Amino acid sequence: MSKNQLTHELSTVIQKGTEHELGEAFALAKQLSITRGAMDSMTFEFSTDLFVAVSLCVAHEKEDATFYDVLNHLLDPAWDSEKQMLCHFQFYDKLPLHPDAARWLKGFTVKAIRLDGNKATQLVRRAHAHWKKTLNSTTEILSVVDVTTDVKPARSIQVFKPEKADLAIEELAKLSSEKRAGGEGVLCDMKVNNGYRTIPDAKMAAIKLESAKANFENLEKPLERLQLDLILSGEMEPEEFYVMPILLLGDPGIGKTYLAMQLAEALGVEMEKMGASGAQGAFQLNGSHPSWNNGKYGSLIELLAKGKSSSPVVLIDEVDKIGNASVYPILPALLDLLEPRTARCFKDQFLGMEFDCSRMIFILTANSMDTVPTPLLSRVNVFDVPRPDIAQRLRIILQEAKRWQLKTKHTEIEFEIDTCHALAERVDLDLRKTTDIVREAFGIAIRAGTTTAKLLIPKFDGRCAAGFGRTEQSQFLKNPMR
């Protein structure tokens, strides 16, 4: 941070006494993560919370307070010890803090006072070094998330109730710094725009998906259904936006993830990918209770809190491997998400609050329908996705080559068309492997300084890829590509 930034007044970035001040202080503290380095979790959480506490108090105590005042507050000669400095926070209850900030500060103070003298000294000195490193870096600490606006965005719905976030902040403050797991930042993020998140332009997204249909014929049917849902949603009020979940059946590497990516891109929203297998799969969706050793909030509440849209795309992989985990099964949580009525009041177990997931778009994948739970099948549209044929594989290879030309600005690099055809005919290689071969060839060409990229096609090892049938194998063995 430059000298001018170090002397920047806090009043320009923290609106004292308003409902935004706590969120703005946390937004500033987020910048500390840039210089975290190898700092352990407990020390980093303490450093972040202490920065929020000092920023709030210094901003209220001193009219023209700056970041320099925040930094020097920790080692002020007026303190007999670091522990005394921490204990002094209990006397800040007379400051005109907003109730949200006052409640949070009270919770922080209770935990800070419990520290013994040696531990307090150690943590405060580490925090001071951490802050100094950040404040003296070239990072713009003032480039923070804007949490100040009260304006309801056009075409939006309220995903989070601010009053519920306030209660969650109050409850979270009762936990130790190790237990909070950064939950304060998520809770402050969700209060942006009073909890409102935008509804995407469904009509435009439906139009954009048309090109994806032309490129991936094997995904045509699910893409058409998505288009129809988007067209209908585009004719209704924002509150009625809904895209029915779909389940894509088929072998690995045939474009199922590509469909989710194309949908997210067409809608202009984020995409989150997670796996359904495992005994603790539900933790990803609705978090784990704070009483657990590694308790943490779920991916869904974070995705909505940090994003601008109410309708991110969530890809849940391998729902045919859900199993019958008895400890913390994912199926009940997943069924709630796929039912609009229950998705409107989905609860994160860690933060203990409900939020609206009913406009999120869920894409599920499975290799086989045989082991997909029946209750789940009743909540989705099911589509069998065939493996792409040779002609489609060739188009994908050429498109991937074009993509790397544009991304690297090496438009002079071309691929040998014969090897492109050879790779397309290798139906034993899934699309992930195929596109990786194209990527590898482009990198080798750049490194060598040549204008011709040579595809390094592996020899056929006699094994079938998933879904590579006997007929296809027989045809391939008659004329194997070398």
Side-chain angles (χ1 to χ4, degrees):
M1 175 175 280
S2 69
K3 181 70 174 176
N4 288 338
Q5 289 171 288
L6 192 60
T7 57
H8 200 99
E9 292 188 8
L10 288 176
S11 60
T12 62
V13 287
I14 295 180
Q15 299 181 72
K16 297 182 297 181
T18 71
E19 62 181 320
H20 307 297
E21 64 176 345
L22 181 61
E24 288 164 341
F26 267 108
L28 286 171
K30 281 185 180 180
Q31 306 302 307
L32 295 172
S33 63
I34 299 170
T35 54
R36 175 177 179 175
M39 183 180 289
D40 63 271
S41 177
M42 177 184 175
T43 305
F44 178 70
E45 291 286 347
F46 177 82
S47 178
T48 300
D49 287 347
L50 185 60
F51 186 91
V52 172
V54 173
S55 297
L56 288 170
C57 295
V58 168
H60 278 274
E61 267 197 321
K62 188 176 179 182
E63 189 64 32
D64 57 349
T66 66
F67 285 108
Y68 186 80
D69 295 312
V70 174
L71 180 64
N72 283 350
H73 181 86
L74 300 191
L75 302 183
D76 192 311
W79 309 123
D80 293 332
S81 66
E82 286 79 6
K83 181 63 181 286
Q84 184 201 27
M85 184 271 295
L86 293 175
C87 290
H88 193 75
F89 279 112
Q90 63 189 309
F91 300 110
Y92 287 125
D93 60 348
K94 303 301 181 184
L95 294 174
L97 293 162
H98 185 271
D100 288 351
R103 282 194 297 269
W104 180 88
L105 184 62
K106 183 178 179 180
F108 170 78
T109 304
V110 169
K111 287 175 286 188
I113 290 175
R114 290 174 183 165
L115 295 170
D116 64 51
N118 290 334
K119 189 65 174 179
T121 298
Q122 183 184 52
L123 287 173
V124 170
R125 290 183 179 178
R126 286 184 179 178
H128 183 268
H130 182 203
W131 299 5
K132 188 174 181 179
K133 185 177 180 180
T134 304
L135 293 169
N136 287 328
S137 72
T138 56
T139 303
E140 284 275 355
I141 197 168
L142 301 180
S143 300
V144 297
V145 179
D146 179 15
V147 298
T148 61
T149 178
D150 283 331
V151 179
K152 177 188 175 215
R155 288 190 57 78
S156 63
I157 57 107
Q158 194 170 39
V159 171
F160 303 106
K161 300 291 184 183
E163 60 272 19
K164 291 185 178 180
D166 291 339
L167 291 174
I169 289 173
E170 190 173 346
E171 290 300 312
L172 198 65
K174 298 175 183 178
L175 302 178
S176 65
S177 58
E178 298 93 335
K179 287 281 189 179
R180 293 201 300 275
E184 301 99 328
V186 174
L187 288 166
C188 289
D189 284 338
M190 67 178 62
K191 293 176 70 176
V192 172
N193 291 323
N194 283 327
Y196 281 89
R197 297 296 182 268
T198 59
I199 295 292
D201 188 336
K203 289 183 180 179
M204 182 56 68
I207 295 171
K208 290 180 178 179
L209 285 179
E210 196 64 33
S211 60
K213 283 167 56 180
N215 295 333
F216 274 67
E217 294 97 325
N218 62 330
L219 297 171
E220 183 176 0
K221 290 183 178 179
L223 284 169
E224 278 187 354
R225 177 53 198 250
L226 288 170
Q227 283 181 305
L228 289 175
D229 279 356
L230 290 171
I231 290 169
L232 288 171
S233 291
E235 296 296 324
M236 298 185 287
E237 294 298 315
E239 292 78 9
E240 301 299 324
F241 180 91
Y242 177 68
V243 174
M244 187 167 180
I246 63 173
L247 171 61
L248 303 176
L249 295 173
D251 309 318
I254 57 173
K256 291 175 288 188
T257 301
Y258 172 86
L259 181 142
M261 292 172 61
Q262 288 296 304
L263 178 59
E265 184 177 328
L267 291 164
V269 301
E270 297 294 320
M271 189 195 91
E272 181 84 7
K273 181 178 180 179
M274 58 186 70
S277 59
Q280 298 182 352
F283 288 170
Q284 300 175 81
L285 301 178
N286 59 4
S288 50
H289 197 273
S291 61
W292 288 62
N293 288 334
N294 296 316
K296 195 177 188 300
Y297 48 84
S299 297
L300 299 186
I301 199 166
E302 181 180 24
L303 186 62
L304 288 169
K306 295 182 179 298
K308 296 180 180 180
S309 175
S310 65
S311 309
V313 175
V314 179
L315 177 67
I316 302 181
D317 226 358
E318 298 183 320
V319 295
D320 52 335
K321 297 179 182 178
I322 285 178
N324 297 310
S326 58
V327 180
Y328 207 68
I330 191 174
L331 186 58
L334 188 53
L335 293 178
D336 282 345
L337 285 170
L338 301 181
E339 183 66 49
R341 179 180 56 82
T342 50
R344 290 191 186 96
C345 50
F346 192 72
K347 185 176 182 179
D348 185 89
Q349 298 299 320
F350 181 81
L351 297 173
M353 67 170 289
E354 295 179 347
F355 58 106
D356 190 347
C357 287
S358 62
R359 280 84 181 181
M360 298 182 86
I361 303 172
F362 293 94
I363 309 293
L364 283 56
T365 76
N367 295 332
S368 169
M369 195 165 65
D370 296 342
T371 53
V372 177
T374 302
L376 191 151
L377 290 174
S378 67
R379 289 167 169 81
V380 298
N381 281 319
V382 182
F383 296 92
D384 282 302
V385 181
R387 294 177 65 84
D389 60 24
I390 292 175
Q392 183 182 335
R393 286 171 58 85
L394 178 60
R395 284 195 294 275
I396 292 169
I397 292 166
L398 297 177
Q399 288 164 9
E400 189 71 4
K402 186 69 173 178
R403 187 171 74 89
W404 284 109
Q405 285 178 330
L406 296 175
K407 286 185 71 171
T408 63
K409 296 181 173 60
H410 281 280
T411 55
E412 76 282 0
I413 297 178
E414 299 287 346
F415 283 78
E416 295 177 340
I417 192 63
D418 289 344
T419 57
C420 289
H421 280 281
L423 182 58
E425 293 187 30
R426 283 293 299 274
V427 291
D428 59 311
L429 301 174
D430 66 28
L431 288 183
R432 292 193 188 97
K433 180 62 178 176
T434 301
T435 55
D436 185 60
I437 290 172
V438 176
R439 180 177 184 271
E440 178 188 32
F442 212 85
I444 292 173
I446 293 174
R447 184 178 63 184
T450 63
T451 58
T452 302
K454 296 182 179 180
L455 296 168
L456 303 179
I457 306 174
K459 291 183 178 180
F460 181 61
D461 60 8
R463 293 180 297 175
C464 288
F468 187 41
R470 292 185 178 181
T471 301
E472 291 171 300
Q473 183 183 22
S474 177
Q475 292 174 348
F476 177 74
L477 289 173
K478 290 177 181 178
N479 185 26
M481 303 303 300
R482 299 184 183 277

